[in-house]
Amino acid sequence: QQEQEEKQPTTTTGSNPHSDPAFALKMLVDSRNAGAVLGKGGATINELQTSTNCRIQLTRTGEVFPGTSERVLTLSGELPSVLTAVHLISTKLQSETNNGNNNNNNENNEENFENTNTNTEGGEENKQQTPKCRLVIPNAAAGCVLGKGGATIKSFIEDSEAEIRLSSQNQAPPGCHDRILTISGTIGQILRAVALVAANLLEDQNYATLVKRPSTYRPSLDYGRGGSMDHGRGHYNNNHHHQQQHNVDPQNVVSATMQVDDSKMGPILGKGGRTITEIQVSSGCRIKVSDRNDFVPGTNLRTLQISGSVTGVQLAWEMLEERLRKIEADAS
């Protein structure tokens, strides 16, 4: 199944009903359930586009929203068409999720970092999960969802009777300009809430431009059958003096080693290790920092060994590079 999915040459399947769509909405899809949206040879996504008159784009395998293993599904068209697509896709994904739970879902060996925070309600794993829809909201457009003092989002909750939560801007990984709006409830409640949110976004003058920006982390790691890895980025800056080595073990756990000038390790770690901890939490990776005065022979470089899933290591590496850029900018 995954091989069939990899054969998709582009992120769009089927015709393009709208060359200049009036509205676009982004929702997140668990990578494990993306096949339910694509269908064999792209048949399902083609059918969805035809039946809704909505353009539907799914990011490539491994191209995920920062801090998650979820791919981004972009729905473009007239607002009623987009809402119809949300309804059909949400229903299909919920069915896929429930079927996966009933079958114990043993086919997947790639863990979603968010799974560490799910199924925590003791004894609830075998019950059907409450339907959930996660929308990607540009941070600059979050105001039209929240409203003054949270009045708008409260009105959405009262009207739809759904649970609606907007992630904090502070939770976003460095370089990420989007937030996640999580809507939970029955499919009907979710659809009503999405309709209310979408109507407000449609009225935001900046949203149409903001939503066109990429919302995924585009992976630069590429590993082949031989078990070697090439980050493909090389050195970021001679002033950073950081290098990398990569390894892949048979369990698909990736390790990457970054070498960083000792003078920059303080800001990388953060006060009380806060910064490096946040990076570990956001990426789902383990980062081992070499001890003080434990330098790469002949240098003043210390090492950061990053271990985790492919996408997790990619994200952690990007976050570390983003931190290094900020250190450079503050120093100049």
Side-chain angles (χ1 to χ4, degrees):
Q1 292 180 344
Q2 188 169 358
E3 289 180 356
Q4 291 175 347
E5 196 172 312
E6 295 284 3
K7 290 178 182 177
Q8 300 297 322
T10 64
T11 56
T12 306
T13 311
S15 59
N16 180 358
H18 298 272
S19 57
D20 186 18
F23 181 73
L25 192 67
K26 293 179 178 178
M27 60 186 295
L28 298 182
V29 176
D30 192 308
S31 296
R32 296 168 298 180
N33 295 334
V37 177
L38 282 172
K40 187 174 182 180
T44 302
I45 202 169
N46 273 326
E47 292 173 2
L48 287 168
Q49 289 187 120
T50 301
S51 63
T52 62
N53 198 32
C54 180
R55 183 185 183 191
I56 303 176
Q57 297 171 284
L58 179 66
T59 55
R60 298 176 188 273
T61 300
E63 193 171 307
V64 296
F65 187 85
T68 77
S69 65
E70 293 171 285
R71 293 160 70 175
V72 178
L73 192 69
T74 303
L75 313 173
S76 308
E78 299 297 330
L79 183 54
S81 298
V82 171
L83 294 177
T84 300
V86 171
H87 185 194
L88 294 175
I89 292 169
S90 296
T91 302
K92 185 176 289 293
L93 289 175
Q94 180 62 22
S95 176
E96 185 76 9
T97 299
N98 289 337
N99 288 338
N101 287 342
N102 293 335
N103 295 328
N104 295 322
N105 209 5
N106 290 325
E107 298 176 359
N108 299 292
N109 57 14
E110 182 177 345
E111 292 189 5
N112 181 345
F113 172 58
E114 290 194 337
N115 281 349
T116 60
N117 294 320
T118 58
N119 291 337
T120 55
E121 302 174 11
E124 298 292 321
E125 341 184 85
N126 295 326
K127 294 185 179 181
Q128 292 190 343
Q129 295 184 6
T130 301
K132 182 184 298 183
C133 179
R134 284 156 63 81
L135 302 180
V136 177
I137 307 294
N139 189 54
C144 72
V145 176
L146 286 172
K148 188 175 182 180
T152 301
I153 196 169
K154 288 178 183 176
S155 69
F156 291 166
I157 293 172
E158 292 176 2
D159 189 320
S160 66
E161 298 184 347
E163 180 183 344
I164 307 175
R165 292 179 291 108
L166 182 65
S167 64
S168 169
Q169 183 179 356
N170 297 330
Q171 293 175 342
C176 178
H177 304 288
D178 295 308
R179 293 159 77 172
I180 299 176
L181 186 71
T182 303
I183 305 173
S184 305
T186 66
I187 293 296
Q189 291 169 341
I190 288 173
L191 190 60
R192 176 59 182 165
V194 171
L196 292 169
V197 171
N200 266 33
L201 292 174
L202 189 59
E203 295 177 1
D204 188 299
Q205 296 179 347
N206 298 319
Y207 176 75
T209 300
L210 295 170
V211 76
K212 293 179 182 177
R213 298 185 308 189
S215 296
T216 56
Y217 175 76
R218 300 179 183 277
S220 54
L221 287 172
D222 184 21
Y223 63 112
R225 296 179 181 177
S228 63
M229 295 200 74
D230 177 19
H231 191 276
R233 281 187 165 283
H235 298 279
Y236 164 68
N237 188 302
N238 288 335
N239 294 327
H240 287 165
H241 296 295
H242 74 260
Q243 301 174 340
Q244 66 283 333
Q245 298 174 346
H246 301 285
N247 298 288
V248 177
D249 71 16
Q251 302 301 318
N252 290 329
V253 174
V254 178
S255 65
T257 303
M258 178 180 284
Q259 299 176 2
V260 179
D261 193 297
D262 183 54
S263 64
K264 298 179 176 65
M265 286 304 296
I268 285 289
L269 294 173
K271 188 175 181 179
R274 178 178 177 179
T275 301
I276 200 75
T277 299
E278 289 176 349
I279 293 174
Q280 290 183 95
V281 171
S282 296
S283 65
C285 288
R286 179 174 180 267
I287 303 178
K288 183 178 180 180
V289 183
S290 62
D291 295 333
R292 287 183 179 181
N293 300 321
D294 183 10
F295 301 134
V296 175
T299 74
N300 65 340
L301 304 178
R302 291 171 65 185
T303 60
L304 301 172
Q305 186 171 4
I306 313 164
S307 302
S309 67
V310 174
T311 54
V313 170
Q314 290 164 353
L315 177 59
W317 190 281
E318 278 290 301
M319 294 176 74
L320 287 167
E321 284 195 334
E322 182 72 21
R323 183 63 180 163
L324 286 168
R325 292 187 191 99
K326 187 176 187 303
I327 294 170
E328 284 292 316
D330 292 344
S332 60

